[in-house]
Amino acid sequence: MWWEFRQWRRQWLNWALFALGFAVILGSYVYASNQAQQANAREYDTLLAESQQLADADKNLADQTQTEKVTKQRAAIQREQTIISRYGRALTGHRRNLLSHRLAYYRLLQHPAFPFSQRSATVIHQAITRDRYLQQHELVPRENVSSLTPAAAFGRSQNAAVFLLILSLLVLQFGGLFARDWETGSIRLLLMLPQERQRLSRHKLGLALVIAGSELVLWSVFGYLLAAIRSG
C-alpha cells in the first residue's frame, strides 16, 4: 500500500482536488450563511410591513371621533406595535432576549386585538411549538448569533449539491489510482510479481478508503472550525 501511496502523492491533480474539497466546504458555508441572513432579512421586512399596517390603522383611527371604543383600539394597536418593535430590535441586534420577544410576538398573533398579519395559523402554531421547545430545553435560537454555529452550518450544508461535488472529487482522485497502471503500462509488471491479483486490488482499494476517510475528516474539521470561529 505504501508504494501505491507514493505513486498517488506524486500526482499534482490529486492535491489540486484535495484543495478543491476545502473550497467546496468553504463555499457551502458561505452559501448557508447567506441563506440564513436572507431569512432574517425577510423576517425583518415582514415585521416592517406589519408595523406599517398598524401605523396606517392608527392614523385612520386618529382621524375619527375619539370615542371610548376608538381609544381602546388605538391603545391595542400601540401594544401590538411595542411587541413588534421589541422583536425586531432583538432580531437585528442578535440579543439574548430574542426568544422571549419572538414567543410574545407569535402568541399575540394567535389572538390579535387588531389583525395585522398574513401568517397562517399553521405557521404560528409551528413557531410557538419551536420556541416553547427551545425555552424548555434552554437552547439558544440560531438567530441569536451573527454567524452560523457549527451545528447549524453542518445541518444547512448537507444538501445534494455538496454531496455530489465531494463524491465527484473522490471519484476523480481514485479513478486514476486504478486506471494509471493501465495507461502507463505498469500493470503488466505488477501482474508479473509473485503476488495474487486480488491482493493488488485490495491494496489499491484500501489506499482509496484510507485517503478518502482522511480527506473527509479534514474537510469536516475545517468546516467545523470555520463555523466555530465565525460564530465566536
Side-chain angles (χ1 to χ4, degrees), residues 133-197:
Y133 178 86
L134 294 176
Q135 206 172 51
Q136 180 181 359
H137 293 81
E138 299 181 352
L139 300 175
V140 179
R142 63 172 179 265
E143 293 85 357
N144 266 121
V145 294
S146 57
S147 297
L148 291 175
T149 61
F154 180 82
R156 285 175 173 262
S157 64
Q158 301 308 300
N159 54 61
V162 174
F163 173 78
L164 290 177
L165 285 173
I166 294 297
L167 181 62
S168 299
L169 294 179
L170 295 178
V171 169
L172 288 174
Q173 278 186 326
F174 301 112
L177 182 66
F178 295 92
R180 193 171 300 113
D181 292 329
W182 294 91
E183 294 174 354
T184 60
S186 58
I187 187 63
R188 296 181 180 179
L189 177 61
L190 292 174
L191 294 177
M192 291 173 61
L193 296 176
Q195 298 183 15
E196 298 179 359
R197 296 187 179 185

Side-chain angles (χ1 to χ4, degrees), residues 14-166:
N14 293 329
W15 295 105
L17 294 173
F18 175 59
L20 187 58
F22 289 102
V24 170
I25 299 300
L26 177 60
S28 67
Y29 172 79
V30 172
Y31 177 78
S33 298
N34 290 338
Q35 291 291 99
Q37 292 175 2
Q38 290 174 7
N40 282 357
R42 287 193 298 270
E43 178 72 2
Y44 188 69
D45 289 342
T46 300
L47 295 178
L48 287 179
E50 293 173 346
S51 179
Q52 184 60 47
Q53 185 176 348
L54 287 175
D56 293 340
D58 185 64
K59 184 178 179 180
N60 292 333
L61 290 174
D63 295 335
Q64 299 177 13
T65 303
Q66 299 303 298
T67 62
E68 182 179 356
K69 179 180 180 181
V70 171
T71 302
K72 289 182 178 180
Q73 288 178 336
R74 296 191 66 186
I77 289 176
Q78 290 300 322
R79 288 194 297 270
E80 293 173 342
Q81 281 280 30
T82 300
I83 293 176
I84 292 176
S85 298
R86 288 174 178 174
Y87 175 32
R89 287 195 298 268
L91 180 64
T92 55
H94 309 289
R95 299 180 182 179
R96 294 183 178 180
N97 56 4
L98 168 64
L99 183 58
S100 60
H101 288 314
R102 186 170 66 185
L103 190 54
Y105 166 78
Y106 278 104
R107 282 173 175 167
L108 169 66
L109 295 186
Q110 284 185 312
H111 306 287
F114 192 91
F116 58 90
S117 178
Q118 301 298 320
R119 300 178 194 263
S120 66
T122 302
V123 170
I124 296 172
H125 175 73
Q126 290 176 347
I128 292 177
T129 302
R130 173 200 61 197
D131 287 347
R132 283 176 176 170
Y133 178 86
L134 294 176
Q135 206 172 51
Q136 180 181 359
H137 293 81
E138 299 181 352
L139 300 175
V140 179
R142 63 172 179 265
E143 293 85 357
N144 266 121
V145 294
S146 57
S147 297
L148 291 175
T149 61
F154 180 82
R156 285 175 173 262
S157 64
Q158 301 308 300
N159 54 61
V162 174
F163 173 78
L164 290 177
L165 285 173
I166 294 297

